[in-house]
Amino acid sequence: MSTHKGMAEWGYELFMERYRERRYGLAREGDADAGKGVVPGGFEPCLVTLFRLLASRDADGAREPVPLWHLRALARTGHLARAAELAFAISDEPKQGEALLALVEEAAGAGDLLGAQALVDSIRVRDCHDRALVALVPAWARAGELDRALALAERVRYPHNWGITWALLAKALADTGDFRGALDFADRAADSASSRVLTLLLDVATAAGDYVRAGDLVDRLEDLARLQGPGAQGHDPGGPRPLTAILVPEVGRGDLDRLDALLRRPGTSPLYPAVMVDVLEAAAETAGAEVVLALVERTQTLLDACSPTSWYADDLRAAAALMLARHGQVEWAMALADAMNAPHLRAGWQAEIVGELARGGDTGRAETLAHAITDRRARARALIAVVEELARRGETDRAQALTRAITDLWARGHALVPVVEELARRGETERAEALADTIAFRETRDRALFVVAGLAAPSDARRLAARLAALGGWYGITGLLEQLAPQGITAVTDALTA
C-alpha cells in the first residue's frame, strides 16, 4: 500500500517514472568528467570500440539470446541478414516467427522491401507469415509497386486477414492520390465486420469525396457498436471504438445531431460513457468554444442519467474538466474536479487542470493556480506542467526560474529536462549540458543528456554518447549508436554472441 502512496496526486505515469528513476539514486561526484576522454582519436572507431568492450563485459556469463529490440536495431541499420541469422537460431518456433515478423516490419519501414519480402517466405509459423504479408502490401503500394502489392495480397491465407489487407491497400492508394484505385480495393473489404477495417474504409471514402459511401460506412459502424456492445472495440483491441470513430469527426465539424439522437434514446444508450470520454478528449484539442459548452451540457445529461457514484462518472467529470480548462473555463473545471467521488483524486485532477490551462496558452494564470494547490505532490505536478509549456514556447529563462519553486528533488530535475531539450534544440549545447549536470538523480540526468545528444552537432553527439555509455552502459543508448555509428550495432552483436 505504501508503494502506491501519492499515485493519485502525481498521476500514474509521473509516479512510475519517479519511482523508477529514484531507485537508481543520486548522481555521483565526478560523473561530469566520465567518458570525456574516450572519443578524441577518431570519433566513430572509438565509439565502436567502447560499445564492443561494454557489451563484452555485460555478456560475460549471459545465457539469454540476443533480445528482440537488438535484432530490430540490426534490421533498421541495414544488417537484415545478420538479424535474420540470429532470429533463425531461436529454437522456440512461435517466438522465432514473431521475431522474423518484427524484422520484416523493420526492414519494410527502413525501405528494404526486397529484403523484407525475401524474409517473408522463410517464416514457418502460418499466422506470422500471413501478418508479414499484410504488413508488406501497403509498403509496396506506397513505393509505387502496385503489381507486387496485389500479388502479395492475393497470397494472404486466412480469411480474417483479408479485410484488413484490402483496406490497408486502399488506404495506401488514397494516400498517394489514386482515389479510383483506392475505392476499387475498398470494395473488396466492404464485407468486413471489423471496426478497424470499416474505419479505414471511411477514411478512404472521405478522402475520395464519396460521401454516399462514407454515410453507409458510418451507419454500419453505428450498427456494429450496438451489436458488439456500447463500449466495445470489436475485433480490434486497441483500435477505436466504433462510435468513437463516427462521433469524433462529426463533433469536430460542430455536428452534434447523432450525439443528441443517441442521448435521447430510452433505456441503455449505446453511447457508452467511455465513448463520450473519447469525444471530450478529442474536442479539447479541436473544438471551438460553442461546441465545448454544448458538450459539457450533454455530459451533464449523461451524468444525470447514470448513478452519480458509478466508476465512470468520475471519468466523465475529469474529461469534461480538462476540456474546459484547455479553453480557459477554469472555475467550471475545478467545480467538476471537486465533485469527484474519490477525495484523494481531487488534488491530482487539480494539477491536470492547471496543465491543460497552461497548454491552452494561459501560462501566467496556470502558474498562479499551481502555487495555490495545497497538496505538495500535486503542486509539483502542476508546476512541472507549466515549466514544460514555458519551455515548449521558448521561454527557457522563466521556465528554469520556476523549477526552483519545486521542492521535491526528483520533480525539480524532471522539470529541467524540457528546458534542457529546448536549449539543445536552439543549438545551446554547452548550456544545455551544464544544466543537465545540475540534475540530482542519475537516471533523470542521463535522460536529459540523451536528449542533448540527439539534438547536438555530430562531434558533441559522439562525445555525449560516449559519456552516457561510460556512465550507464551501451544498451540504453542504442538509438544514438544507430544514428552516430551504425557499425557499432554489429560490434555489439559480435560481443553478445561471442
Side-chain angles (χ1 to χ4, degrees), residues 119-399:
L119 196 55
V120 167
D121 293 328
S122 67
I123 301 177
R124 294 192 294 268
V125 179
R126 289 181 176 178
D127 178 62
C128 292
H129 180 269
D130 236 35
R131 287 155 59 199
L133 290 172
V134 173
L136 270 182
V137 166
W140 277 117
R142 286 192 172 89
E145 297 280 355
L146 183 56
D147 290 342
R148 283 184 182 270
L150 185 57
L152 288 178
E154 297 285 2
R155 290 174 54 194
V156 173
R157 178 188 185 98
Y158 294 112
H160 65 267
N161 287 327
W162 293 346
I164 189 61
T165 302
W166 297 117
L168 287 170
L169 181 53
K171 182 66 164 63
L173 290 181
D175 290 344
T176 63
D178 182 0
F179 298 122
R180 176 172 295 182
L183 292 175
D184 287 343
F185 288 119
D187 288 337
R188 300 199 187 192
D191 292 334
S192 175
S194 158
S195 62
R196 182 187 175 199
V197 171
L198 294 179
T199 302
L200 282 169
L201 297 183
L202 177 58
D203 289 344
V204 170
T206 303
D210 189 340
Y211 297 112
V212 173
R213 184 191 298 250
D216 291 341
L217 288 164
V218 165
D219 291 338
R220 288 183 61 192
L221 279 165
E222 185 175 340
D223 291 340
L224 186 63
R226 292 197 196 92
L227 178 66
Q228 295 176 346
Q233 292 171 308
H235 302 295
D236 310 301
R241 300 176 179 90
L243 280 173
T244 297
I246 299 169
L247 290 170
V248 167
E250 291 184 349
V251 170
R253 297 192 297 268
D255 181 359
L256 305 182
D257 290 346
R258 189 185 304 270
L259 180 64
D260 288 340
L262 292 168
L263 284 171
R264 285 194 298 267
R265 288 208 173 110
T268 304
S269 170
L271 182 63
Y272 194 70
V275 176
M276 189 62 168
V277 169
D278 293 342
V279 171
L280 293 171
E281 289 175 348
E285 300 289 339
T286 60
E290 290 184 5
V291 172
V292 165
L293 296 177
L295 285 174
V296 174
E297 292 175 1
R298 286 154 177 80
T299 301
Q300 190 58 56
T301 299
L302 191 55
L303 283 168
D304 292 342
C306 66
S307 170
T309 58
S310 61
W311 62 270
Y312 52 77
D314 276 354
D315 288 346
L316 285 167
R317 293 186 184 104
L322 296 182
M323 180 183 67
L324 286 165
R326 176 62 70 94
H327 290 267
Q329 300 284 343
V330 178
E331 291 77 10
W332 199 350
M334 287 294 188
L336 282 167
D338 290 341
M340 289 185 180
N341 295 313
H344 69 287
L345 295 176
R346 292 172 189 161
W349 282 113
Q350 288 172 353
E352 282 288 313
I353 288 168
V354 168
E356 287 299 318
L357 181 63
R359 286 183 282 273
D362 194 348
T363 54
R365 194 176 176 198
E367 181 179 343
T368 299
L369 288 171
H371 286 300
I373 295 176
T374 56
D375 182 273
R376 60 182 178 81
R377 302 181 188 91
R379 182 170 61 251
R381 177 182 174 186
L383 289 169
I384 287 171
V386 179
V387 169
E388 287 174 345
E389 184 58 25
L390 288 171
R392 192 186 71 80
R393 292 169 180 268
E395 298 182 54
T396 51
D397 290 339
R398 183 180 162 199

Side-chain angles (χ1 to χ4, degrees), residues 40-108:
F43 298 130
E44 289 190 9
C46 289
L47 268 185
V48 172
T49 300
L50 172 63
F51 275 71
R52 181 187 290 114
L53 291 171
L54 291 171
S56 298
R57 181 195 66 191
D58 292 343
D60 287 345
R63 298 180 182 178
E64 294 295 321
V66 176
L68 180 58
W69 60 263
H70 189 78
L71 298 184
R72 286 181 175 272
L74 281 169
R76 281 195 299 272
T77 53
H79 304 290
L80 181 61
R82 182 77 169 107
E85 174 190 342
L86 293 168
F88 284 126
I90 299 173
S91 58
D92 183 285
E93 192 169 83
K95 289 182 179 179
Q96 182 191 100
E98 292 291 342
L100 291 171
L101 169 61
L103 295 184
V104 169
E105 293 170 344
E106 290 292 348

Side-chain angles (χ1 to χ4, degrees), residues 441-458:
F441 283 90
R442 182 166 65 91
E443 287 290 298
T444 316
R445 177 212 54 199
D446 288 358
R447 177 157 54 89
L449 290 172
F450 185 95
V451 168
V452 179
L455 295 169

